[in-house]
Amino acid sequence: MSGLGKPTVVGAAPQGASDPRSAGRAVREMFTSIAPRYDLLNHLLSFNVDRVWWRRTARTFRHILARPEARILDLCCGTGDMTFALRRQAGTNVAQILGADFSHAMLQRATAKAAASENGTRPGWIEADALNLPFPAGYFDLVTSAFGFRNLADYNAGLREIARVLRPGGECGILDFGEPKGATGSLYRIYFKQVLPRVGTLLSGVRGPYAYLPASVERFPEPGEMLARMRQAGFAEANWTPYTFGIAGLYRGKLA
Ligand SMILES: C[S@@+](CC[C@H](N)C(=O)[O-])C[C@H]1O[C@@H](n2cnc3c(N)ncnc32)[C@H](O)[C@@H]1O
């Protein structure tokens, strides 16, 4: 046990996965299966609050996004909404913003969305596994991940890989769901565990992913444990800011 109320976990464990390799495969297949309706369901099921969270995260890193030489990586970018929020915050300032994901279908949608947007400066996209990134050490100034990190098959390995590709003094921002406490938490749990899986399954036409979502959030380390793991991975500074009563929150880390 972690001593913080949840068993110590290695990483995500979708139903039927017996080890990190099969967990990674199952996660990729799951997101690929819902890619066509991912955006619609995301905005619907979050009542569009997800847009506010992506913007807020991008604003947090405006000091990096204002630097013309900065290199930014958005991990587990999916259909690219966090990546686009970073791009918008950066304006035309930043040299390189890349979105990376291991689901080809999710990246195809990100590319199509970028092509449809009027913004002249588009992010780049790369198909890659967050646990084995094709970048040299110390390459990026900022690594973000929105609602993706929780799905990694090995959280400690994910944090080590983020730390590896960041330059000294580089920062990371991991935006993910949390478990709000108190009366708000009780109400939210009814929605998140009872309503959302049913509506998600009905509208996506795919059984599984929308039951996995609340289970993965329940399994994810509490903020105290996650921050301890970040420090262990080399982040000298690590803190967590709850968003919207703690329904989501931003883990922020900075290397020495
Ligand atoms: C819930 S979606 C989040 C997408 C986007 N960041 C957003 O905020 O909407 C999670 C994404 O993480 C990706 N993902 C999960 N594990 C990954 C890994 N090991 N490497 C790369 N991408 C991964 C999935 O393919 C999926 O597109």
Side-chain angles (χ1 to χ4, degrees):
M1 293 286 281
S2 63
L4 290 161
K6 286 189 186 185
T8 303
V9 295
V10 175
Q15 227 181 5
S18 52
D19 55 63
R21 187 181 286 265
S22 59
R25 206 177 314 119
V27 165
R28 186 167 59 227
E29 281 165 10
M30 193 167 64
F31 282 104
T32 296
S33 74
I34 56 170
R37 311 208 80 180
Y38 178 81
D39 282 338
L40 172 74
L41 277 159
N42 229 12
H43 302 323
L44 193 75
L45 294 171
S46 75
F47 305 102
N48 262 332
V49 184
D50 49 2
R51 295 180 199 274
V52 178
W53 294 335
W54 290 313
R55 265 205 305 273
R56 189 171 166 186
T57 298
R59 241 190 351 259
T60 300
F61 296 105
R62 57 187 177 275
H63 57 292
I64 299 176
L65 292 163
R67 297 207 315 253
E69 80 292 354
R71 293 185 186 133
I72 322 289
L73 174 66
D74 181 36
L75 268 187
C76 303
C77 66
T79 61
D81 284 317
M82 182 71 242
T83 328
F84 294 126
L86 293 165
R87 185 74 270 175
R88 273 192 293 274
Q89 178 68 47
T92 50
N93 288 330
V94 163
Q96 194 177 22
I97 299 185
L98 281 177
D101 202 285
F102 70 0
S103 164
H104 188 72
M106 294 292 266
L107 280 179
Q108 272 181 323
R109 302 198 83 79
T111 315
K113 279 159 72 176
S117 88
E118 285 165 27
N119 191 337
T121 323
R122 291 176 189 156
W125 310 103
I126 182 158
E127 198 169 325
D129 189 333
L131 298 178
N132 186 19
L133 292 169
F135 301 107
Y139 189 77
F140 291 102
D141 298 272
L142 170 66
V143 175
T144 60
S145 183
F147 309 105
F149 185 87
R150 173 179 31 87
N151 301 294
L152 298 188
D154 185 332
Y155 299 139
N156 291 347
L159 288 170
R160 283 197 301 271
E161 190 62 347
I162 292 173
R164 183 186 71 77
V165 298
L166 279 173
R167 66 162 178 78
E171 296 189 40
C172 81
I174 297 172
L175 170 63
D176 222 312
F177 287 113
E179 293 190 294
K181 310 273 182 265
T184 317
S186 307
L187 272 178
Y188 179 71
R189 269 189 294 284
I190 296 174
Y191 169 71
F192 201 59
K193 290 187 178 177
Q194 310 291 333
V195 180
L196 181 145
R198 288 189 173 90
V199 178
T201 303
L202 193 75
L203 296 184
S204 68
V206 184
R207 201 177 285 276
Y210 289 92
Y212 160 81
L213 175 58
S216 70
V217 173
E218 201 165 73
R219 188 180 161 82
F220 194 59
E222 295 274 0
E225 189 193 326
M226 181 63 188
L227 292 174
R229 289 178 187 233
M230 289 174 74
R231 290 189 193 100
Q232 206 178 7
F235 291 96
E237 293 170 33
N239 56 58
W240 179 71
T241 305
Y243 286 3
T244 320
F245 310 109
I247 289 172
L250 179 68
Y251 293 94
R252 196 172 164 189
K254 187 169 186 204
L255 293 182

